[in-house]
Amino acid sequence: MSSIINFRRGNAYETLHFPEDAPTHECGIFGMWAPQRDVAQETFFALVALQHRGQESAGIAAAAEDGLHLYRATGLVGDVFTPEIIEHLYGHAAIGHVRYSTTEDRAGDALNAQPLMIRYQHGELALSFNGSIVNAAALRRHLESLGSIFQSSLDCEVFAHLIARSSATILEDALQEAVAQVQGGYAIIFLTADRLIALRDPHGIRPLTLGMLGGHYLVSSESCAFDTLGGSYLREVAPGEMVTISAQGLQSRQGLTPAVPPSLCAFEHIYFARPDSDIEGVNTHFMRKRLGAALVQEAHLEVDVISGVPDSSISAAIGYAEASGVPFEMALIKNRYLGRTFIKPTQEQRELAVKLKLNPVRKLVEGKRVLLVDDSIVRGTTMRYIIHLLREVGATEVHVRITSPPYRYPCYFGIDTSARGDLIASNRSVEEIREAIEADSLYYLDIETITRLMGNEGLSLCLACFNGNYPVSVPGSH
Amino acid sequence: MSSIINFRRGNAYETLHFPEDAPTHECGIFGMWAPQRDVAQETFFALVALQHRGQESAGIAAAAEDGLHLYRATGLVGDVFTPEIIEHLYGHAAIGHVRYSTTEDRAGDALNAQPLMIRYQHGELALSFNGSIVNAAALRRHLESLGSIFQSSLDCEVFAHLIARSSATILEDALQEAVAQVQGGYAIIFLTADRLIALRDPHGIRPLTLGMLGGHYLVSSESCAFDTLGGSYLREVAPGEMVTISAQGLQSRQGLTPAVPPSLCAFEHIYFARPDSDIEGVNTHFMRKRLGAALVQEAHLEVDVISGVPDSSISAAIGYAEASGVPFEMALIKNRYLGRTFIKPTQEQRELAVKLKLNPVRKLVEGKRVLLVDDSIVRGTTMRYIIHLLREVGATEVHVRITSPPYRYPCYFGIDTSARGDLIASNRSVEEIREAIEADSLYYLDIETITRLMGNEGLSLCLACFNGNYPVSVPGSH
Amino acid sequence: MSSIINFRRGNAYETLHFPEDAPTHECGIFGMWAPQRDVAQETFFALVALQHRGQESAGIAAAAEDGLHLYRATGLVGDVFTPEIIEHLYGHAAIGHVRYSTTEDRAGDALNAQPLMIRYQHGELALSFNGSIVNAAALRRHLESLGSIFQSSLDCEVFAHLIARSSATILEDALQEAVAQVQGGYAIIFLTADRLIALRDPHGIRPLTLGMLGGHYLVSSESCAFDTLGGSYLREVAPGEMVTISAQGLQSRQGLTPAVPPSLCAFEHIYFARPDSDIEGVNTHFMRKRLGAALVQEAHLEVDVISGVPDSSISAAIGYAEASGVPFEMALIKNRYLGRTFIKPTQEQRELAVKLKLNPVRKLVEGKRVLLVDDSIVRGTTMRYIIHLLREVGATEVHVRITSPPYRYPCYFGIDTSARGDLIASNRSVEEIREAIEADSLYYLDIETITRLMGNEGLSLCLACFNGNYPVSVPGSH
Amino acid sequence: MSSIINFRRGNAYETLHFPEDAPTHECGIFGMWAPQRDVAQETFFALVALQHRGQESAGIAAAAEDGLHLYRATGLVGDVFTPEIIEHLYGHAAIGHVRYSTTEDRAGDALNAQPLMIRYQHGELALSFNGSIVNAAALRRHLESLGSIFQSSLDCEVFAHLIARSSATILEDALQEAVAQVQGGYAIIFLTADRLIALRDPHGIRPLTLGMLGGHYLVSSESCAFDTLGGSYLREVAPGEMVTISAQGLQSRQGLTPAVPPSLCAFEHIYFARPDSDIEGVNTHFMRKRLGAALVQEAHLEVDVISGVPDSSISAAIGYAEASGVPFEMALIKNRYLGRTFIKPTQEQRELAVKLKLNPVRKLVEGKRVLLVDDSIVRGTTMRYIIHLLREVGATEVHVRITSPPYRYPCYFGIDTSARGDLIASNRSVEEIREAIEADSLYYLDIETITRLMGNEGLSLCLACFNGNYPVSVPGSH
């Protein structure tokens, strides 16, 4: 049992991170209040269902009569927990977390695993957080200047300190004060001995959903966790709503702050969520098929083979194929077992990493015009190499269709896309991007198309990564 | 560093084995002779490419001037090896192995990981084996009665003892004697200080392929490993051929035993191989599409949704969709991150395990007639539960189409399908199977269709699991 | 990498804790400021030398130009650190810590390993602490009521919070404020990027020594660490002194609080320190021999064999033997390899645990009158069983001589001796203790003898565990 | 779970092996047949008692109705076994082993941990071995030429192969054949489903003792294991005797080979055994005291301080002190917690390693004439450095007295003392050794003294390491 802080990283090898040419996932959160059930065991299964939202660390905190019990560690949910650990996490309620680091330093940073747990003047408190607090640094400096000591580099620890310093005696009041000071996009679940509180930022940038299981309440980033447990979807936690679940049932506070228009992160539907999840009541697989179909209307082209980049773009490619009448194909086969495979950090082995993960089916591609559907292009290096691979096995043309607009502006609300300079679209025209990735043609969906298609389903979006209009003003971003 | 032999298993939990309703994978083998290259590093990557053939253990043996060096352990390739271990496995040639246990006892049986390595009167010898020796028990009893001591329960250890007892001074001669005594279906690669020998049983039941990389020879169960390394396909090792690779280049001995008709395992194309591999020169994805298309011709039905059971049946479902004109869909979403997830061995949690792995997209299925394409039904329990899941989310009809004939007879050549009594088709008609899995209709491809479609591509097959005609007579199987 | 908090303990087995019938050890601390040296490597060796002061966890924090780096974990120094970890702990200064839990719950409490490290408004700060703060709970409640969040259950974390809340801009000033509020017995070393500060409580209850190595300053609980590194003893840190070591050399602040008489813990010489260490300039082996010799003067008896209880009482037994003229013997042989040996928590196996650790030499004891010298009797259970063992192998008489007065009052300054009720001497006369342990005779040294012998060497002692006169008033102790 | 074979060792660090200037320990073996008891748990405790005979690996094999179960791993007994493992090792009989490698390559060689277990034509067989077979290489070559495959590099595996190849149907008969072919010095315990067989070589070079516990038989390298379990000493297994313990009680075969004079290894009493053990009925502590006393008679000198080198020479130093009237002292304090401490393999850190382990008490030594008693000098490097350390802290003279004759010839019967060239005495006179270790005087006991003192107790010795007269002729040793 050990902890390492602040280590330099100087290894001659690196673990092969899946080179998705897409924004990296962020976090998944889950909570349940179910005195008659095995809450840790079910939270464990829910986290397995949410694993696509974060593979770096996992944790569960459970509330029992003798206090809160916590276990968290780096690794996949199935590796982190053992039956013995789950048995120790008994109780009447639990919250869980899966995490993909949103910061630079990912080196086994066990201290930044969640749930975060504190003991403060009113007892014990655990929290699971998804998103980002844009004024976290300023709040932290202010709290430190008052003498607070932070135990992690997590944004969400400012919530803990604001609560700990509040003079309010009711937790919900302290939280309401905190929400007024915190700016950002987040969904958060708190657990104390006697209640579970779910909270979503006023803009509703990150999703949070309520479900039911055998008469008990569930809270989850995505509805697929409810399906896994055999539960059912109830409703969304509304932007700016605080929901308390306790022995007294469910209570809600709304309008914690002055009303603002909702701004759900557009990438939840485009890329993050599992296809079988509903986000704000809209099924993700269907929405992706619609985005794919829209590409046919806007920029169809006669080709021989239509393929998605597995796995995230399969839904969109099916939509494109269905709308175009050209059969869907699997031109790229994905290796499902990469795990902790390591490579040397050389250009040669980085290219080999793409091949280890994605191998084209030569007989499908040889002598053919190929149209690739993908959800986004972030740095462009992987896409360029995939196109290279396809040409190597004989593709005569490779066309690229993207189900989102160019990703031009960094996200400050929980998605890890390095600095703006790394974004291939930040200072390039579509034609320049096409040249950079060496495609025969390239087309992105218009912002208007996204807005219209999702708007038809009642979604009001944050599109800041496409247009730079951040729903919350970000310190130092201009 | 530890070893456990013969432990009882009495845990209250079990690790969630992927409940594919299909034969379980078996083994993947690889070898390379490449004095100028980093053979262990490249064998490591090749094993990652072959990981789908076995996830229980992995190992590499390398030949250097100071002898053979070996590392093997239970776990995925990426977990078993570290950069440090790979650096210790230096040399001019290497062989590797990934394994899925073909025996009952899988409990951390590190002694049965491969490559197997021995020191005998003529030096050191390592071997990687895929397949089964049907007279292994009799050979073992005979060898033990002569005073031999076995160190593992691996079939292939009899090869080691036959070689060790041979009076032949040339290894190939000793091997030729051994092949004459051993009956079964296998591909095997031997490594000594000065040569690498690849050998395939006279019936050619298990595949083995030769490739090239920068002027050096490669041997692999499947060609996808060549693609990953940037190498190229050369030819198959012929049934009954022994290929020696050494500083003198490649030499071949054929006709080790009287000629018999080739009998490639039909399931290599139906289920085992990666879609991007060529087996006996035939691409697997294409062959699966053709099997799917054949189902349309033989038993088409008007439905609303066509879906495969991910991942192995996607190719066949695409073929079915293309031939039928009904669009392909992803009605079942697979969780890619199950890893070592554990469940309690209760009926309830076994059903939950299917849900953790496969979740239907309600909006695709609700009120629809669904046609599921799958490659085989072994025990039928998973298929029954998938059908149950689809009905739960509103499917009005669920029809099942299988791209192989009923799996009626146990395999004795390297595929792990428990006893005959566990096979749902062993003593049931197709109609009885349909009732058992609660499908609205069920259709299997005819043996004749398989024989014709694969025969058109020049393949001569082992179909014993469908018709009981074993190419090699199996002691005690009747 | 994982952390567990607050787990219940319900195992059917327990690890065999060395059943010394003596107060358990507490902590060892070390620091060095040596820009030209490999500070982590040398701190590692120093901690190995101090390992007798705590075997539960170990840690090192190093200060380099890019900040403080920390590693700490449960286990022995040699198990916790690897060459790779030590290489990561580069820098110009380092502090280390070995710990024996002073609290009830020892179950893998990695969060309570030290050094403690915080980031606060003025940067990073690490600290290593030995001792106890008697008003820690009150200070903690007060700091929590002001909104502070504690990350551990360590007493010394109040120092961190007092510093973090101080308005002083110079660390030494903030520390001086903290010392004024903190009551207890402690030695503490702080490390920041630009200085190392060593501090001892005004009573000087816990020892702290300054040394030199190649022109650089060292600080250590005991001088044996200096010997190990090839360094030399300089002087004690005085009670109530704060020493700052930095690029500017050594600076001292004395008289941080109004002067009080020094009160070195008497058990440092009686039991804790290594025999080769000097504590307050007095060699421990010599002092123990003198205590043993005093027993001869006060209560000699004609016996056949004189033996100590290994290892801590060997020095005293040598002193007794030398003074009495009866040869010293090793009647009890200690097993040096108990390690993590586990036993069932039954009476039978607890007795077996004593036998695993100490085995009498039958031929030395059979038919003999044995006099056992030991340093203390805490609960008396082990001593009773040792006497039982000696009689079993034929001792005709067993007499016990203790080099300290009866241990009657709990220690609140860093020694872990459960509640007062567990102390065999808390409510028993010497005769009643003799009966309880079934000795033929029992004699304890007088407090006056201890005071006189140690006073002759210039030592002024805390004798609270013998007479209840605590140098610092302890909340709730009366 | 992993195995490494034949790895080069090139690490920049090495684990600090205790730099005893003495022969390294070898192995301890234990067995019990006790249907009503928890045999694995008691064997575990017995191995803890025998841990001083080998710290590199530990293992237990247990015989139950469902076959033999084995667990073995590298590490200390208390680290290797967990309660869970012990529970799996149920049964009516068990054998155990602790091992110190006798070969060059000690790099985590888990394959060479014992007990060794085989499955052969007559079932399962486990064995624990202490000693050496001098014609092992020849026997192995012969067996390999007949086609045998060895799984380890252990000498004792030839026993397994000889048994496996025997035409005898009774195990004792097969063993008797084997004993006739095997030359060396060894004690060995076999376990099968229905019997436990203990065997000692005809010369009786290695010890083996019979004990009783609750009516059941025990076998052990040393009697201290009986004491630990609460059992009692019965008798020695005689040289050349084979004892079978089974449901039929104890049966003995003697005179397996023509009678030869017994030759117990002299170093068992001088160095290996625990002081509380009886070897051939003679207590080791007493024998060592007598050797120490003999030094006084032969070479007394007026000095101020007499000290042993802890721990092995304490008994002898006590004997010297008692005989000379000069009080015994502890001039060197040993660190009890070195564990896996690592050092860089430089001269500087190798010297530091001695200091980490042994620190002189300056005040005992300063200005004094010191006489050090030790049991042997093998390479002399540690002794030279200890003398250096003593002079550094002010010893005016350092005299060395050794309780054995010069160690001139390598041992071929189970003691690991590198090649003859490494032995400081192999080609130096006593005066030259004195110069090399820089002592003021040096005296070794005469061979005659050893022979007389031990002969008085009925012991007939192997003194080959002193005089080169090997009881068994050793191939290639001349």
Side-chain angles (χ1 to χ4, degrees), chain A residues 13 38 41 44-45 48-49 51-52 55 78-79 81-83 86-87 227-228 230 274-276 281 283 285-286 289 311 314 318 322 327-330 333 335-338 340-344 349 352 355-356 359 361 363-364, chain B residues 13 38 41 44-45 48-49 51-52 55 78-79 81-83 86-87 227-228 230 274-276 281 283 285-286 289 311 314 318 322 327-330 333 335-338 340-344 349 352 355-356 359 361 363-364:
Chain A
Y13 289 83
D38 188 348
Q41 178 77 37
F44 167 76
F45 291 134
V48 171
Q51 183 82 76
H52 62 288
Q55 296 94 47
D79 292 334
F81 291 98
T82 63
I86 291 293
E87 275 168 28
D227 297 342
T228 292
R274 249 173 61 169
D276 51 332
N283 174 255
H285 175 68
F286 264 72
K289 281 185 64 178
D311 293 320
I314 298 301
I318 288 173
E322 202 172 315
F328 169 80
E329 262 300 353
M330 295 288 288
I333 300 301
N335 187 327
R336 305 280 170 213
Y337 303 101
L338 290 183
R340 280 194 279 263
T341 305
F342 54 86
I343 55 167
K344 287 182 190 153
Q349 290 216 349
L352 189 143
K355 246 186 204 165
L356 270 176
N359 194 27
V361 180
K363 295 199 183 167
L364 257 178
Chain B
Y13 288 82
D38 188 347
Q41 179 77 37
F44 167 75
F45 290 134
V48 171
Q51 183 82 76
H52 62 287
Q55 297 94 46
D79 292 335
F81 291 98
T82 64
I86 291 293
E87 275 167 28
D227 297 342
T228 292
R274 250 173 61 168
D276 51 333
N283 174 254
H285 175 69
F286 263 71
K289 281 185 65 177
D311 292 320
I314 299 299
I318 288 173
E322 204 172 315
F328 169 79
E329 261 301 352
M330 295 287 287
I333 301 301
N335 187 329
R336 304 280 171 214
Y337 302 102
L338 289 184
R340 280 194 279 264
T341 305
F342 54 87
I343 56 165
K344 288 183 189 152
Q349 292 217 349
L352 191 143
K355 249 186 199 164
L356 271 175
N359 194 26
V361 181
K363 292 197 186 170
L364 258 178

Side-chain angles (χ1 to χ4, degrees), chain A residues 216-281:
Chain A
H216 300 292
Y217 289 102
L218 311 175
V219 193
S220 178
S221 291
E222 293 184 27
S223 65
C224 63
F226 304 154
D227 297 342
T228 292
L229 299 181
S232 58
Y233 170 81
L234 185 63
R235 67 169 176 87
E236 307 298 306
V237 176
E241 182 184 7
M242 183 198 307
V243 167
T244 300
I245 300 164
S246 70
Q248 281 69 52
L250 184 152
Q251 288 164 300
S252 167
R253 289 192 191 190
Q254 305 222 17
L256 301 184
T257 56
V260 291
S263 306
L264 176 70
C265 167
F267 260 101
E268 288 286 346
H269 271 298
I270 294 169
Y271 173 71
F272 290 145
R274 249 173 61 169
D276 51 332
S277 281
D278 295 348
I279 300 291
E280 297 276 347

Side-chain angles (χ1 to χ4, degrees), chain B residues 389-413:
Chain B
L389 272 180
L390 289 168
R391 295 202 201 276
E392 251 186 5
V393 297
T396 56
E397 298 173 14
V398 184
H399 303 273
V400 176
R401 295 295 176 269
I402 302 297
T403 59
S404 64
Y407 196 120
R408 292 222 151 91
Y409 301 89
C411 176
Y412 298 103
F413 307 108

Side-chain angles (χ1 to χ4, degrees), chain D residues 392-406:
Chain D
E392 250 185 4
V393 298
T396 56
E397 298 173 15
V398 183
H399 304 273
V400 176
R401 294 295 177 269
I402 303 295
T403 58
S404 63

